[in-house]
Amino acid sequence: MAKLIINEQKKLGKIHEEIYGHFSEHLGRCIYEGLYVGENSEIPNVNGIRSDVVAALKDMKIPVLRWPGGCFADEYHWKDGIGPKETRKKMINTHWGGVLEDNSFGTHEFMDLCEQLGCKAYINGNVGSGTVQEMSEWVEYMTFDGVSPMADLRRKNGREKPWKVDYFGVGNENWGCGGNMTPEYYGNLYRRYQTYIRDYAGNGSITKICCGPNSADYHWTENVLKTTFDHTPEHLHGFMDGLSLHYYTVPGPWEHKGSATEFDENDWFLTLKKAYFLDELIRKHSTIMDQYDPEKKIGLMVDEWGCWFDVEPGTNPGFLYQQNTMRDALVAGISLNIFNKHCDRVKMANIAQLVNVLQSVILTEGAKMLLTPTYYVFRMYKYHQNAQLLDSSMEIAEIGNEEHKVPAVSESVSMSEDGTIHITLGNLSPSEEQEIEIQFYEQKPAQITGSILTGSMTAHNTFDQPDAVNEQEFTAYSVTDQNTIKLTLPPCSVLHLGVNA
Ligand code: AHR
């Protein structure tokens, strides 16, 4: 028997909705086919954007979307993607699969997508191969309402009013594909480039994100912050609102990461243990950030995370197309619980990537679309968005094998504005059910709603069987005394409970 103790009177801070964010790159079939099929497609669309995908993402309550990359961002020249489509430059996407990039999806199309989704826009700028002028003009093009060369150009291209750019990333992975820079060199570039991300709306509404570390590269964090904070940050007020962190859960070595669907219990525990590493990463990077930003004003933006396996056999290795099983669902559930618990520092997270690439919530094949187990986790967890994190802790044993041990159950708890308490739990055992007693400080659970996702560890949805794994209603709980709920969590499952007094 495991015990979850909740102090519903102790609120620990807001869970920013952006923690439930996503990422879309010009990579494989994410943008083209997955999101954008063109206006002349037989697949139902609005301005070329797939209506089935938009409806599913709205139902999941997507809060923010990052674009155009990824590594693609530091090779992307935004002026190639504006104006009449027939005159847009055609080129090869050398980074991802060597396929034709016709630039038919550019700034206007991305902003339209965000408007259709009702989500915030996170644009990632080009530092690796772009100039300060290019980045500065992009911001002017998108956000300036007055008379200027770029604002006039936007109007000429059919958009009268400026858009709202919520987040702007100054480069991507500049320690690697974004220019192979040292932290000191990038830190100086960051200071310079961010200066020209002008606040045209006059309300400081663009959140500026500095390129942070890969995984456990604490040297990068320390030295980028040392460089950017050198020489009195006060006069650079608003110079940095976020620092990114990239962490992928990769079970094997890079050359053989492992299959997305064919794995054993050892791979299962190894993968989940690697997912838990996120907790250590956030704590350690945050400790370094505390030296420069003790009030935690700068968010740690985990703007790329998720499982990275071998591509599906027979698919283009440069497309990073992989299937998605209950193992991915557990990784998503564990990671989101970790982000929730670190909501004082983690202010955004973007799973990689939205459709058809890495740990996607949606897969498409022609006109067909399926929702992955990861999709259902995001839909079940959506109640945490903008809720208050509650103090909770679990008395629980570890499970696993000799080499790889993980807590048997993952949890986080929040209270939404209407007073509902949201509990999300994951049973990490692929074979054993788990008895759980949930004890509140004072709350008397009167009304409970529940939904569950469960299946064998390799269970997944295919285009022939799109509903093999699906969210089900959960009613197998009992209220034992005034403030305690008892339930049995099936093996390999993710659960959401909504509890009202
Ligand atoms: O998500 C795929 C790639 O992973 C991104 O382009 C890059 O930023 C990271 O290395």
Side-chain angles (χ1 to χ4, degrees), residues 23 25 27 66 69-72 96 172-173 175 177 246 248 304 308 320 352-353 357-358:
F23 168 37
E25 181 166 9
L27 195 180
R66 177 176 183 237
C71 294
F72 186 81
W96 299 116
N172 167 73
E173 297 196 349
W175 37 261
C177 65
H246 287 184
Y248 284 99
E304 286 186 33
W308 194 323
L320 310 185
Q353 297 191 5
V357 171
L358 301 176

Side-chain angles (χ1 to χ4, degrees), residues 87-107:
T87 59
R88 292 190 193 176
K89 279 188 194 162
K90 295 190 177 30
M91 53 186 65
I92 299 299
N93 186 336
T94 43
H95 208 96
W96 299 116
V99 289
L100 184 76
E101 167 63 65
D102 67 1
N103 281 301
S104 54
F105 190 93
T107 304

